[in-house]
Amino acid sequence: GGKCERQNAKGENTYAPGDAGGDGYTWAMRELAWDPGQCGLEQIRALCSAGRDQGVLTIRFEDGEGGESFDWSELEPMTRSRAVTAADVAADLGSPVLEVALCCDLVYLRHGASLVLPEIDQPASPGLVWALSRAGRAAIAAGLLVGGRVEGGEAVRLGLVQAIVPADDPLPLPSRVSLAALTAARDLMRSQAGGAAGRALELATFRLLFASGDPIEGANAFLERRDPEF
């Protein structure tokens, strides 16, 4: 929604990338805000551009409902970003901005906020179908057969939301973790593999993390009662 006059790509790093022997931060945490008054397509492109860097990218949604839906070709790159993306939903959120939030790796609802699914007499957008499919059968049934407002607790039960967060609390995002661990968590979150393929991915991730030296440093930090330096 909104006129395509300028894009909302402003944000700042809350933690500068560090090194293994520095302050423990090995990647940046960046925060952006969705502006319903600006061009939605340009904002999606800005989010995709910001997601090219390793780290955690948080998008704050304080308002957004109505306007033309987005093609899947516009949303799909968000699901392949190098950064771990987290949606911070602080108000009732409906389509098409809802689909942008649900394409993030993690979705958090502030107390009092809710997801507004399209009514069942409206065609579901490809982005919504993708998000419902990722969440599971219960979410698909709610989205395609029921529709309407989904409050916080129900959104968590359906798997559309990770947690409900008080209005003034920080999101429960990791602040002291290595780049190897962050990358492994990102890939496992996004994987749709099951059976033998899923077990192979889990084993490969396990070996990657052990090869990075993180487990040894983590154990030593615990025994020495200090913060780890990954």
Side-chain angles (χ1 to χ4, degrees):
K3 295 182 179 180
C4 295
E5 297 176 348
R6 58 191 175 94
Q7 66 182 34
N8 183 29
K10 293 184 178 179
E12 58 183 16
N13 293 334
T14 53
Y15 297 103
D19 55 44
D23 60 4
Y25 295 110
T26 57
W27 37 266
M29 298 183 70
R30 194 174 187 203
E31 299 176 358
L32 298 176
W34 183 272
D35 186 344
Q38 295 186 24
C39 174
L41 180 56
E42 289 188 354
Q43 291 191 82
I44 291 175
R45 291 170 178 168
L47 295 178
C48 292
S49 177
R52 293 172 184 165
D53 296 327
Q54 291 275 17
V56 175
L57 175 63
T58 301
I59 304 102
R60 175 87 170 182
F61 296 89
E62 295 188 348
D63 188 18
E65 187 172 0
E68 297 183 3
S69 62
F70 302 116
D71 292 336
W72 178 238
S73 62
E74 299 160 351
L75 290 173
E76 192 269 341
M78 285 188 60
T79 68
R80 295 184 286 104
S81 65
R82 296 186 69 195
V84 173
T85 53
D88 183 0
V89 181
D92 292 349
L93 201 64
S95 296
V97 183
L98 173 66
E99 284 83 88
V100 180
L102 293 182
C103 280
C104 291
D105 295 310
L106 302 168
V107 182
Y108 296 100
L109 276 186
R110 297 291 178 176
H111 278 313
S114 61
L115 307 180
V116 184
L117 299 175
E119 298 297 333
I120 59 174
D121 60 347
Q122 302 174 11
S125 68
L128 180 62
V129 172
W130 179 88
L132 296 173
S133 300
R134 179 179 66 170
R137 295 178 62 182
I140 294 174
L144 301 184
L145 302 178
V146 181
R149 188 178 305 275
V150 180
E151 304 292 345
E154 181 67 3
V156 173
R157 187 188 71 80
L158 293 174
L160 293 170
V161 169
Q162 272 62 51
I164 311 301
V165 182
D168 298 326
D169 284 8
L171 297 182
L173 297 172
S175 59
R176 297 193 74 89
V177 65
S178 72
L179 187 58
L182 184 70
T183 302
R186 177 201 65 192
D187 292 345
L188 289 173
M189 278 192 300
R190 295 177 182 176
S191 173
Q192 301 294 317
R199 290 191 292 272
L201 176 61
E202 182 180 12
L203 179 59
T205 303
F206 179 83
R207 289 173 173 169
L208 169 66
L209 292 177
F210 260 81
S212 70
D214 285 355
I216 297 175
E217 170 59 16
N220 288 339
F222 175 77
L223 294 173
E224 297 168 10
R225 298 187 178 183
R226 59 173 173 81
D227 289 333
E229 294 182 357
F230 295 115

